[in-house]
Amino acid sequence: MSQPHSHDEHQDHSGHEHGHPHGHHHHHHGEPQEAGPFPWRRMAWAALLVLFAIAAASLVQVRSGEATVITRFGNPSRVLLAPGLGWRWPAPFEAAIPVDLRLRTTSSGLQDVGTRDGLRIIVQAYVAWQVQGDPDNVQRFMRAVQNQPDEAARQIRTFVGSALETTASSFDLANLVNTDANQVRIADFEAQLRKQIDQQLLTTYGVRVLQVGIERLTLPSVTLTATVDRMRAGRETIATERTAIGKREAAQIRSAAERDARILQADATVKAADIEAQSRVEAAQIYGRAYAGSPQLYNLLRSLDTLGTVVTPGTKLILRTDAAPFRVLVDGPPSLGTKARSQP
């Protein structure tokens, strides 16, 4: 029993004396091959992954139609405007907030406003706007509405409502609603409305106004009744004025016609008098020549003229036939009687 035990001890002792240097040499020879390289590789890959994660967290993509605001501990520090990739410090040092730069349209809704002539109208306008694409205005928009387009639209709607009231007070109703297209000034109304809000929206919100227009314009029942009455009165005034103008022109035409008629009548009277005088002269000349040629015939013709003047169809005369001028009715002209008696 003791022999095997002493053999084992000998072997253990031999191994301790002779095998220990060999085992010790084997231990130092295997350690740099198995335990050395692998931890360093793992650490290198881990460092690369960390660096990649930091790089990925630091990159910012700026999309077209947007601006990206880089905030540092919640405060805007710079604005990225060019589309593409940008960089920032990883969170929580810096954060990236996109701001929409696309065109938006906001309606004022129906607004009851008063015109310069004291009448009420219901008008609805729209505004086409977008955030101005420069760093100052983008940050102004961020501060004003915390990058909330819906809140910006709500506040812009309030601005437009106030501007509509101010603008409408500079126009009469006839400049906005009229059957005569030459008197309608809707374009001037829109231009003045834009002037009211343009600079104010840019200064307050960093928003640029691209277009302002009137969507709807109607009249309340009270204004409609007053407008109809006013239009009726206007038409009656125009009709009265035109009637008066027509009467005046007719009187002028009538007066001119009467004047022309009097002038023509006077001219005709003068001409008639001239003709009558000339005819009397010519008649006297004829009578003179007739008397010179045949006194008896002249006396006969004058007697007949006298009878034609004195005697009318209704005249009844009782005269002697042997007295002039009726004697010629019995005796006939002396010359004619002589010829008649000489013929048989």
Side-chain angles (χ1 to χ4, degrees):
M1 292 296 291
S2 60
Q3 183 66 32
H5 178 70
S6 59
H7 178 73
D8 293 337
E9 290 179 355
H10 176 74
Q11 289 181 348
D12 182 72
H13 181 72
S14 299
H16 177 71
E17 290 181 356
H18 301 283
H20 180 69
H22 178 76
H24 180 71
H25 175 73
H26 178 74
H27 174 72
H28 286 283
H29 184 266
E31 183 176 354
Q33 294 180 358
E34 296 181 1
F38 290 104
W40 286 107
R41 290 180 181 177
R42 292 192 185 96
M43 290 177 65
W45 281 109
L48 288 175
L49 290 176
V50 170
L51 290 175
F52 180 78
I54 293 174
S58 299
L59 292 177
V60 177
Q61 183 179 3
V62 182
R63 295 182 176 86
S64 178
E66 289 184 351
T68 300
V69 178
I70 305 300
T71 61
R72 183 172 298 169
F73 301 109
N75 297 318
S77 61
R78 64 184 187 279
V79 179
L80 304 179
L81 297 172
L85 293 177
W87 67 273
R88 64 177 175 86
W89 291 107
F93 301 103
E94 289 185 342
I97 301 176
V99 177
D100 196 345
L101 301 180
R102 292 175 298 178
L103 182 67
R104 292 179 176 270
T105 303
T106 300
S107 175
S108 67
L110 294 175
Q111 302 287 330
D112 188 347
V113 297
T115 60
R116 182 169 54 189
D117 49 353
L119 297 174
R120 309 298 298 179
I121 60 173
I122 297 176
V123 62
Q124 180 174 346
Y126 71 89
V127 179
W129 58 275
Q130 65 180 162
V131 180
Q132 185 76 2
D134 60 83
D136 292 338
N137 285 304
V138 170
Q139 294 188 33
R140 187 176 290 117
F141 183 77
M142 285 279 297
R143 290 191 298 268
V145 294
Q146 287 75 45
N147 193 29
Q148 297 181 14
D150 293 339
E151 177 62 21
R154 187 188 67 80
Q155 297 188 25
I156 289 173
R157 189 179 300 114
T158 303
F159 270 100
V160 175
S162 300
L164 280 172
E165 184 72 36
T166 304
T167 304
S169 63
S170 301
F171 291 84
D172 293 331
L173 180 63
N175 301 136
L176 304 176
V177 180
N178 203 309
T179 56
D180 186 0
N182 294 325
Q183 297 188 21
V184 177
R185 298 172 53 196
I186 294 295
D188 295 339
F189 186 94
E190 293 175 343
Q192 186 166 337
L193 178 62
R194 178 173 180 173
K195 186 177 179 181
Q196 289 277 339
I197 64 174
D198 200 350
Q199 188 61 38
Q200 195 171 11
L201 291 182
L202 182 62
T203 304
T204 306
Y205 300 99
V207 166
R208 180 165 59 102
V209 176
L210 299 180
Q211 188 177 4
V212 176
I214 300 299
E215 289 184 279
R216 185 177 179 185
L217 195 152
T218 58
L219 303 178
S221 58
V222 176
T223 303
L224 183 60
T225 303
T227 303
V228 172
D229 293 341
R230 180 177 296 185
M231 292 175 65
R232 184 182 296 113
R235 294 295 181 271
E236 291 176 354
T237 302
I238 294 173
T240 303
E241 291 177 353
R242 291 182 178 177
T243 302
I245 293 173
K247 290 181 178 180
R248 184 169 63 252
E249 292 178 352
Q252 293 174 352
I253 294 172
R254 190 181 299 110
S255 176
E258 292 175 354
R259 184 182 65 252
D260 294 342
R262 287 194 298 271
I263 294 173
L264 291 174
Q265 186 177 3
D267 292 341
T269 302
V270 172
K271 290 180 180 179
D274 293 340
I275 293 172
E276 185 178 0
Q278 184 66 28
S279 65
R280 286 178 181 179
V281 172
E282 292 177 356
Q285 293 175 354
I286 293 171
Y287 285 145
R289 289 194 298 269
Y291 181 78
S294 178
Q296 295 84 2
L297 179 60
Y298 175 77
N299 291 331
L300 175 62
L301 292 175
R302 293 298 293 174
S303 298
L304 291 176
D305 288 340
T306 302
L307 288 174
T309 304
V310 173
V311 180
T312 63
T315 303
K316 295 180 180 180
L317 297 174
I318 301 174
L319 299 171
R320 291 174 55 185
T321 59
D322 58 347
F326 299 102
R327 186 176 179 176
V328 296
L329 297 176
V330 177
D331 296 340
S335 60
L336 294 177
T338 305
K339 292 179 179 181
R341 284 191 300 270
S342 65
Q343 286 178 358

